[in-house]
Amino acid sequence: MLAAKGAVTVLLVAWLLRRVDWLLAADRLRHADAGWLFGGFALVCGALLVTTIRWQWAGAAVGLSLPLGQAVRHSLVGQFFGQVLPAGVGVDAVRGWLAYRSGHPAEGVVASLLVDRLAGLLGLLLLDIVAAVALLYHVAPDFALAGLLAGAVMVGGFGTVLFLNRIPLPARLRLRLFETMRTILRSAEKGLTTPASLNALALSLLVQILFVGAVLLLARALGAPIGVQAGFAVVPIALTLASMPISLNGWGIREGAMVAGLQVHGVSVDDAFLVSVLLGTALLLASLPGGLLWFFKPPERPS
């Protein structure tokens, strides 16, 4: 499966690379404004920090207490390893394992990740709806509907998982492992009705707004004509498609979606591709401290 995701990533990136004028791209990068580039990178770092705080709120929703320093460390390490793992799923698996190794109960960790992931997807879906209805539908309906469908499928999938515990089973079929999963799902389902989960959803919206802002600043650094309207119309849908676990950390999917969406707003393939690559590079650079944390400080073991 990992090899298949790697193949999807390589094929998509290779297809996009063939459409880019590399001489022009190199010239644009050479003359890019360093200040705007740094501003875009800072917003990406801010978005990752907000996702960490969102995980804290998701933990609070299910009764899991995650200290901020610990949550930041686990999230950074997760982001680092997530660069070569399936989008979303890889980050959650690593940070969840680290939280468990730090002494937190497995049931609470998994429940917090379910609530956090669902909050993140709901935030994306809400912005997808705004983009499709208010900004994009009249220009590129296929692109808008693809984003809405992807968001709805992922939210629906997670929602379905959370309600699996309501399926009645005979006592003889209730194995210990399944009972553990039912406990986790009950905790996550209950957590969705708490004020903490609403805070997590609000932070999800903030994360996506920060990513839109990062794209606009990176585009400004290159002199690419991406306006605020185009940013809010395209970026949330591109990030939704990239969050589907069919490539490595969304590479290839994100670039293809950005090119397809921004083209209808008058942005060239070269500019759209470069901005998307800069966004992915900013995410990669922001995750590097996680590698240092992993190397110099091994994960704690539960006492």
Side-chain angles (χ1 to χ4, degrees):
M1 184 62 68
L2 189 62
K5 296 177 193 300
V8 169
T9 300
V10 170
L11 288 174
L12 286 170
V13 172
W15 177 75
L16 289 164
L17 291 179
R18 293 183 61 185
R19 302 181 64 191
V20 174
D21 184 337
W22 284 103
L23 292 177
L24 177 62
D27 184 67
R28 299 294 292 278
L29 287 173
R30 186 166 57 251
H31 294 94
D33 187 292
W36 292 116
L37 285 176
F38 179 79
F41 175 71
L43 287 187
V44 169
C45 292
L48 295 183
L49 176 60
V50 174
T51 61
T52 297
I53 299 172
R54 185 186 70 196
W55 184 27
Q56 273 195 303
W57 280 110
V62 299
L64 180 71
S65 178
L66 279 169
L68 179 60
Q70 194 177 84
V72 169
R73 178 186 180 276
H74 296 340
S75 294
L76 283 174
V77 176
Q79 288 290 338
F80 175 73
F81 283 101
Q83 299 301 315
V84 291
L85 293 173
V89 177
V91 176
D92 286 347
V94 173
R95 63 179 177 164
W97 177 72
L98 290 174
Y100 169 70
R101 289 288 298 270
S102 297
H104 297 288
E107 292 85 354
V109 170
V110 175
S112 73
L113 292 173
L114 287 173
V115 173
D116 178 67
R117 181 56 53 187
L118 185 58
L121 291 174
L122 280 173
L124 267 174
L125 182 59
L126 289 175
L127 285 185
D128 287 345
I129 293 172
V130 172
V133 174
L135 302 173
L136 193 61
Y137 188 77
H138 66 287
V139 179
D142 293 340
F143 180 72
L145 291 176
L148 285 175
L149 180 61
V153 167
M154 288 189 288
V155 169
F158 270 88
T160 301
V161 168
L162 290 178
F163 289 97
L164 285 178
N165 65 305
R166 295 183 178 274
I167 300 176
L169 288 176
R172 61 184 179 181
L173 295 181
R174 294 180 183 178
L175 303 177
R176 181 177 179 182
L177 178 60
F178 189 76
E179 282 301 313
T180 300
M181 287 303 303
R182 288 171 66 92
T183 301
I184 293 172
L185 295 175
R186 279 195 296 266
S187 177
E189 182 184 340
K190 184 178 179 180
L192 291 175
T193 63
T194 64
S197 65
L198 294 178
N199 290 334
L201 178 59
L203 290 176
S204 295
L205 293 172
L206 177 58
V207 167
Q208 304 313 319
I209 291 171
L210 288 173
F211 275 124
V212 172
V215 167
L216 295 178
L217 292 184
L218 294 173
R220 182 73 176 268
L222 295 173
I226 301 178
V228 174
Q229 180 177 356
F232 275 96
V234 175
V235 176
I237 291 178
L239 293 178
T240 299
L241 295 172
S243 66
M244 299 179 68
I246 57 177
S247 70
L248 300 182
N249 202 39
W251 282 100
I253 304 295
R254 179 180 56 244
E255 285 66 42
M258 290 281 281
V259 168
L262 290 174
Q263 269 190 301
V264 300
H265 288 271
V267 181
S268 70
V269 172
D270 301 302
D271 285 340
F273 181 78
L274 276 178
V275 169
S276 183
V277 168
L278 285 176
L279 177 62
T281 302
L283 285 166
L284 175 61
L285 292 175
S287 72
L288 290 181
L292 296 176
L293 288 171
W294 170 260
F295 184 78
F296 288 108
K297 186 182 179 183
E300 303 93 337
R301 295 181 181 274
S303 57

